[in-house]
Amino acid sequence: MRMSQLFGKTLREQPSDADTESHALLIRAGFVSQLMSGVYSFLPLGNRVRLKIENIIRNEMDSAGAQEILMPALQPLQLWDQSGRSATMGEVLFQLTDRRSRALVLGPTHEEVVTDLLGKFIFSYRDLPLTLYQIQTKFRDEARPRGGLVRVKEFTMKDAYSFDLTDDDLSTSYQTMFDSYEKIFSRCGVPVVPVDADSGAIGGKGSQEFIFLSENGEDTIAQCDNCSYAANLEKAEFLRENFSEEPMLGLEKIETPNSTTIAELSASLGIENRQTAKAVMYMAIPHNGGSEIPILSIVRGDLEISEVKLSNVLGGVNLRPLGEDELLSLGLTPGFMSAVQLESLAQVVADESVITARNLVAGGNQKDWHYKNSNYGRDWEASITADIAEVIAGARCRCCSSGELSLSRGVEMGHIFRVGQRYSDALGVVVQDSTGNSITPTMGCYGIGVGRIFAAASEVGINENGLRWPISIAPYHCSLVALGFDKDESIREDAELLYRELTEAGVEVLFDDRGLRPGVMFNDADLIGNPIRLTVSTRNQKEGMVEVSNRYSDEISHVARDSTVNHIKEEIKVLFDAL
RNA sequence: CGGGGCGUAGCUCAGUCUGGCAGAGCGCUGCUUUUGGGAAGCAGAGGCCCUCGGUUCGAAUCCGAGCGCCCCGACCA
């Protein structure tokens, strides 16, 4: 490709609405352009990167035995009513109507459509296992798009769906996809950490995310420093340590003026946060539109309630925290709440941490009063005891019991789910087994965000001069800069010849034939970030050389003009092998 | 949806407080000089100052409403 013909323009200044450095560079280098909040165009350079990522995914999916299809983005709302997700997905689901007032949605994911499709063609156990995939545009009406390409309303996703007869078979299909994902991320030059995850609105019996660690990420993950345990904070488990083996002391009511927070309370009593019990009130909003149920959740004072865990414990309800006024109107005392003598007012859900702890200070359910020496089982009880606390840094790993968990930020690149029979059940899809019995197939589903790989890869290679792409997804293998192209006939001839030779040898070249000042062309080459840069100039030409600069090794070398093509092919091979 | 910031040339922004000719740099067009790390000069083109309403002799500027973009939070396969 000739730079003189390339659509898109590099910008000298930082775009005002880009927050992260990598996203700012993608805009400055002319890879993407924003149409509106959460919606982007891909310009020729960005589009090449996108297509290369897709082809790596396609290649690995095909190798794993998955078959590519393409399903519609436009779907009948009725299918979503059938699965129950028109209610659970809520406002994220883009809805519209056609000219005959038929209710439609723009697909945010395709479990319903693929299951419906399966039901039309699969009737026998002989047809399974089967894995289908597509690379397609998804639509989600996100409340707040952010982070450039990280959270957007329209995006390209590879989504795959496996169907098996048994859970064991599902595990095999799942593992195949897991392995395939590791290869995909590795080939794209994006390091990821697989973590246990919450399955959210997809549902199912367990899922894993592939997280790209980044300060710009919106997910937090916990990793053990001793064993291989890693999990999304929404899911991460940890050991509750017993801080006290002491015997239960007598319950006392003590005056604690103005101690409405755990910090104030423990400071005024001279105790540690973990010697208190924290009570947080929620309203559980059932999906079926029934009336709200008050939930009193209790954790040890040094911990926080995980709303995701709490919601899961209660069967996936939506939770709404209560404001101070609302608490008062229910007869509760904000800042001084506990489950002691309050079990009748709300369903009490207690974290494991408060079950074994002894003699905690808990709210007195009366302004300016607390209970001292409250103990679970004696002074109060919960209808549910479960893991509803969020991991804190330094917590003990539940997996190996000896390691400590650390927390890091990251972006979810992919998510794989053991979904089970939820959708086959909802849509009535069955196959016959060898004895003629009806079997409901079990499903796995597997997603990768193409745009997120794009964003992550751009962030990995970034340096002070611009982008730096992994060779596998770089828009071009190399930039060819011809100094004096506009003036010097012999430079022109030589650069054109080299361009032709490289192209014919299968090397992808972005040829800067604009004849601008050297600094402009060098800076643009750096900004765009193709891994190798070639320079043809009078100076090099006199020596019979071409200058080769490798953005990964940071080496600048001079290669004989005759052997340039072979040399470049070799450097490209080395870069590919390093991935 | 709550909180904050912003909206003026293609881009980055000044001008708004204190109402009075629509501005700069970059980019773009033409010419001249220049050519190994974002050159210089000369001459140009380019504007619904986000929108609507109000105040005023007069509004980019003040007031009101709305819309859009970004950030924090809520939310989020």
Side-chain angles (χ1 to χ4, degrees), chain A residues 288-534:
Chain A
N288 60 20
S291 58
E292 297 185 336
I293 302 160
I295 303 290
L296 184 63
S297 56
I298 313 286
V299 288
R300 208 174 57 206
D302 59 324
L303 302 174
E304 297 291 339
I305 303 279
S306 161
E307 290 186 20
V308 173
K309 287 181 178 178
L310 180 59
S311 161
N312 285 340
V313 164
L314 296 169
V317 296
N318 284 322
L319 293 172
R320 178 173 69 82
L322 294 189
E324 208 160 291
D325 295 346
E326 221 170 347
L327 290 171
L328 289 168
S329 72
L330 284 169
L332 299 168
T333 321
F336 300 92
M337 288 191 305
S338 77
V340 179
Q341 292 159 13
L342 209 73
E343 290 104 325
S344 57
L345 259 174
Q347 182 173 4
V348 177
V349 182
D351 183 66
E352 297 160 3
S353 57
V354 288
I355 307 303
T356 54
R358 284 283 175 272
N359 302 323
L360 298 179
V361 174
N365 294 317
Q366 184 183 345
K367 187 167 161 42
D368 294 337
W369 287 85
H370 275 84
Y371 285 113
K372 204 173 154 185
N373 302 327
S374 78
N375 285 290
Y376 182 78
R378 184 191 69 182
D379 305 315
W380 63 283
E381 290 194 26
S383 54
I384 300 176
T385 62
D387 170 16
I388 59 164
E390 207 160 71
V391 168
I392 51 175
R396 188 84 41 207
C397 176
R398 176 163 246 166
C399 199
C400 67
S401 320
S402 58
E404 280 190 5
L405 299 175
S406 63
L407 303 181
S408 344
R409 303 280 290 175
V411 181
E412 173 191 0
M413 295 282 113
H415 199 161
I416 59 180
F417 303 78
R418 294 175 217 267
V419 176
Q421 296 169 321
R422 170 173 174 178
Y423 298 95
S424 346
D425 267 341
L427 301 180
V429 174
V430 293
V431 298
Q432 284 198 326
D433 71 8
S434 57
T435 60
N437 291 322
S438 288
I439 303 279
T440 304
T442 185
M443 182 194 222
C445 87
Y446 316 93
I448 290 185
V450 173
R452 286 187 175 178
I453 293 186
F454 185 111
S458 71
E459 188 174 320
V460 171
I462 192 170
N463 70 7
E464 66 277 11
N465 296 321
L467 298 163
R468 190 176 52 174
W469 295 96
I471 189 78
S472 55
I473 62 172
Y476 294 87
H477 296 144
C478 63
S479 291
L480 170 58
V481 177
L483 301 184
F485 186 86
D486 56 327
K487 289 280 172 12
D488 189 325
E489 182 68 27
S490 74
I491 288 289
R492 193 149 53 223
E493 281 174 11
D494 197 20
E496 289 283 0
L497 182 61
L498 183 55
Y499 176 50
R500 202 155 54 236
E501 286 173 4
L502 286 165
T503 303
E504 281 166 7
V507 177
E508 298 168 3
V509 186
L510 183 58
F511 178 20
D512 198 336
D513 60 342
R514 295 176 298 175
L516 301 176
R517 295 179 67 82
V520 176
M521 295 196 286
F522 286 140
N523 280 317
D524 277 350
D526 289 346
L527 185 59
I528 289 166
N530 292 316
I532 299 169
R533 188 188 73 203
L534 300 169

Side-chain angles (χ1 to χ4, degrees), chain A residues 74-107:
Chain A
L74 203 56
Q75 306 169 7
L77 176 64
Q78 176 270 331
L79 202 47
W80 289 77
D81 289 337
Q82 222 174 321
S83 70
R85 286 210 293 182
S86 42
T88 54
M89 297 226 36
E91 294 186 312
V92 171
L93 196 60
F94 268 111
Q95 301 200 23
L96 65 161
T97 53
D98 70 8
R99 62 171 70 203
R100 288 184 300 182
S101 304
R102 182 173 189 187
L104 304 174
V105 310
L106 294 176

Side-chain angles (χ1 to χ4, degrees), chain A residues 43-62:
Chain A
L43 309 189
L45 291 174
N47 195 46
R48 283 181 68 92
V49 174
R50 184 180 71 82
L51 288 172
K52 286 187 173 190
I53 293 169
E54 289 185 13
N55 282 330
I56 288 172
I57 295 172
R58 188 171 273 122
N59 177 256
E60 289 298 335
M61 284 293 116
D62 291 345

Side-chain angles (χ1 to χ4, degrees), chain A residues 7-9 26-27 29-33 41-49:
Chain A
F7 176 67
K9 198 159 184 43
L26 287 176
I27 295 170
F31 282 67
V32 297
S33 174
S41 297
F42 286 76
L43 309 189
L45 291 174
N47 195 46
R48 283 181 68 92
V49 174

Side-chain angles (χ1 to χ4, degrees), chain A residues 175-225:
Chain A
Q175 188 60 44
T176 302
M177 283 293 129
F178 183 98
D179 296 343
S180 177
Y181 272 39
E182 301 228 290
K183 287 182 197 149
I184 289 166
F185 294 119
S186 156
R187 284 181 63 185
C188 290
V190 174
V192 293
V193 182
V195 305
D196 292 349
D198 179 65
S199 353
I202 292 274
K205 310 163 184 170
S207 74
Q208 286 169 292
E209 291 170 331
F210 292 82
I211 300 283
F212 167 68
L213 294 181
S214 162
E215 284 304 309
N216 301 321
E218 35 177 7
D219 285 291
T220 303
I221 64 164
Q223 287 177 280
C224 179
D225 62 5

